[in-house]
Amino acid sequence: MNLAYRHLLPADFAADSRVWIYQSSRLFSMSEALQIEDLLNHFTTNWKSHGTPVKGFGTLFFGQFIILMADENATGVSGCSTDSSVRLIKEIEQLYKVAMFDRQNLAFVVKDKVQLLPLGQLQYAADNNFVQANTLYFNNLVQTKQELEDSWLIPVTESWLAKRIKPQNA
C-alpha cells in the first residue's frame, strides 16, 4: 500500500486551509470511487459561501477517506457552505450504503491495508498485538492542511490513543 498522499494535495492552498475528513465504513469499489470523485469535483467547482465561490478541494484517499478542503484566505466558509458539504457527504452515505460520520470506528494500517476497529475493542486489539505502538493510525481529527500533511497518518504513540491504551510493544 502506497501511503504517500501529500503530493496529491493542492500546492496552492494555504497551510491553514480548513480540512474535513470523512471515513467510510468500508472500502469503495473502483467504480464507486470514480463516481465519488466526480461528485466531489462537481461540488468543489460549485461550492459557494454567501454567493462567493469557495476555493475548495475534494478527493477520495485510500479508497475510504473523503477529504474536503477550503482555503479561507480566498473566501471564508460560512455555516451554510459547511452545511452544503455535510449534505453532500450524507448523499454519498445514502447512495453507497455506508456510514461516513461514525467517529467511534478507528482506522489503522495493518498488514499493508486500511483496517477499521471499533473504539470499544481498542484495548483488546492492543493486548493481542493487532495494534502496536508503531501501528499507523488515521487521525481524522486534523483541521488544517498543515495538520493533514504532518499529523494525519501517525504512529499510535503520537496520537490521542496513546493515553487510552498501553501497547505491549511500547
Side-chain angles (χ1 to χ4, degrees), residues 1-6 23 62 65 106-117 122 129-140 149-161 165 167:
M1 174 177 196
N2 182 356
L3 297 175
Y5 65 91
R6 290 169 185 87
Q23 173 185 296
F62 307 114
F65 302 90
L106 309 175
F108 301 89
V109 177
V110 177
K111 296 183 180 176
D112 217 28
K113 290 179 11 184
V114 175
Q115 298 286 339
L116 300 181
L117 178 72
L122 184 62
N129 289 319
F130 175 74
V131 172
Q132 301 172 353
N134 63 345
T135 301
L136 293 177
Y137 165 66
F138 288 92
N139 177 23
N140 295 330
E149 292 173 339
D150 299 338
S151 305
W152 182 37
L153 193 52
I154 56 176
V156 167
T157 54
E158 294 176 23
S159 75
W160 64 274
L161 297 176
I165 59 173

Side-chain angles (χ1 to χ4, degrees), residues 15-28:
D16 64 348
S17 294
R18 284 184 60 190
V19 167
W20 297 266
I21 300 176
Y22 299 94
Q23 173 185 296
S24 172
S25 54
R26 66 168 172 82
L27 187 67
F28 291 108

Side-chain angles (χ1 to χ4, degrees), residues 20 22 43 47 68 79-93 101:
W20 297 266
Y22 299 94
F43 174 78
W47 199 2
L68 289 175
C80 293
S81 53
T82 302
D83 288 349
S84 67
S85 68
V86 170
R87 279 193 299 277
L88 169 70
I89 301 303
K90 287 183 177 181
E91 179 183 327
I92 290 169
E93 273 189 321
F101 294 94

Side-chain angles (χ1 to χ4, degrees), residues 2 16 18 23 39 41 45 68-69 78 82 85 91 103-104 129 143 148 164 167:
N2 182 356
D16 64 348
R18 284 184 60 190
Q23 173 185 296
L39 288 170
N41 289 334
T45 300
L68 289 175
M69 186 182 308
S78 67
T82 302
S85 68
E91 179 183 327
R103 299 289 186 191
Q104 297 293 307
N129 289 319
Q143 297 182 357
L148 179 63
R164 302 270 324 229

